[in-house]
Amino acid sequence: MNVREKSRRMLKYVHEQRAARTLSIVVGAFIACWLPFFVWSPIAVIFPMLAGTSDQVFTIVTWAGHLNSMLNPLIYSRFSRDFRRAFKQLLTCQRERKANQLRYTQSQSSEMSYE
């Protein structure tokens, strides 16, 4: 195995580790946000005597679940360079220019002559 092959494998491993870390944080946040809702809902149905406070608790645990939707972009933007780049392009209304489009544009401008 040559140096280039080892380097390529190491980069792939590092990229996979970052992706696994980001995914575990996203899943952990999902569980933390939605678990109260999925625990409280059956309890409120099975034990109706708790129904006196269930409206307030239901509202709180539902909003905790919806908080997850707000957290996902924050988590991805913190831990994913690709997401950060795409989000920045989206916010600034820029399109990503592919390398071959850039080369084509540059070759056209170099071929133009101003006579």
Side-chain angles (χ1 to χ4, degrees), residues 17-28:
Q17 289 288 65
R18 287 183 186 155
R21 182 185 66 183
T22 302
L23 184 61
S24 64
I25 292 170
V26 168
V27 170

Side-chain angles (χ1 to χ4, degrees), residues 4-114:
R4 190 174 287 175
E5 176 83 18
K6 286 181 184 179
S7 177
R8 206 174 294 144
R9 283 187 180 188
M10 182 58 87
L11 284 174
K12 184 178 178 183
Y13 176 75
V14 168
H15 185 71
E16 288 175 0
Q17 289 288 65
R18 287 183 186 155
R21 182 185 66 183
T22 302
L23 184 61
S24 64
I25 292 170
V26 168
V27 170
F30 177 84
I31 291 170
C33 289
W34 282 105
L35 185 65
F37 176 81
F38 287 109
V39 169
W40 175 253
S41 294
I43 289 174
V45 171
I46 294 170
F47 301 106
M49 62 243 173
L50 298 174
T53 60
S54 69
D55 288 341
Q56 293 171 342
V57 174
F58 182 77
T59 300
I60 291 169
V61 297
T62 302
W63 275 104
H66 293 306
L67 175 70
N68 180 252
S69 296
M70 183 193 78
L71 290 177
N72 281 338
L74 299 175
I75 292 169
Y76 279 115
S77 66
R78 171 66 179 97
F79 293 102
S80 172
R81 286 187 202 132
D82 293 334
F83 183 84
R84 255 193 316 268
R85 187 179 314 117
F87 196 64
K88 182 180 177 183
Q89 288 175 349
L90 181 67
L91 289 178
T92 58
C93 298
Q94 293 178 349
R95 291 188 323 181
E96 184 177 357
R97 296 177 78 176
K98 297 192 188 302
N100 60 358
Q101 289 176 333
L102 185 60
R103 273 189 248 116
Y104 178 72
T105 305
Q106 288 172 345
S107 68
Q108 276 187 333
S109 63
S110 65
E111 290 174 4
M112 293 179 149
S113 62
Y114 297 99

